[in-house]
Amino acid sequence: MWTNWTYPDGSWNGWESLGGWVKSRVDVDPQQKTSDSLIFMWATGKDDNRWFRVRYPSGSWTDWRVSCAVEPGGQFCP
């Protein structure tokens, strides 16, 4: 999984690996966007579970986390 983003001046950061292997397309869920400008990215992993990462406004990402259906008490789970 790879990501690239722009800075406010329009320049690009460059491609950066987010690690992991996914076997589905990557989705950004607009319903998961919060007032804190967190971005949630989802994909299906090799184990057929849905996994996600969260991007903070600073540009840093969380580690991969298994979906709330598998681990309902995890961070970012309702």
Side-chain angles (χ1 to χ4, degrees), residues 1-5 7 12-20 41 53 55 59-62:
M1 181 69 219
W2 293 80
T3 185
N4 196 355
W5 64 90
Y7 292 104
W12 286 89
N13 175 72
W15 288 101
E16 183 177 302
S17 175
L18 291 177
M41 175 192 68
R53 290 188 77 163
R55 184 177 186 271
S60 65
W61 288 88
T62 64

Side-chain angles (χ1 to χ4, degrees), residues 14-48:
W15 288 101
E16 183 177 302
S17 175
L18 291 177
W21 290 89
V22 298
K23 68 180 207 178
S24 71
R25 72 181 193 160
V26 175
D27 294 311
V28 176
D29 188 344
Q31 295 177 353
Q32 293 293 327
K33 223 172 175 186
T34 67
S35 60
D36 296 332
S37 298
L38 299 176
I39 298 173
F40 288 70
M41 175 192 68
W42 296 85
T44 301
K46 292 189 299 186
D47 62 0
D48 291 322

Side-chain angles (χ1 to χ4, degrees), residues 3 28 30 50 53 67-68 71:
T3 185
V28 176
R50 293 285 284 170
R53 290 188 77 163
S67 74
C68 295
E71 191 178 297

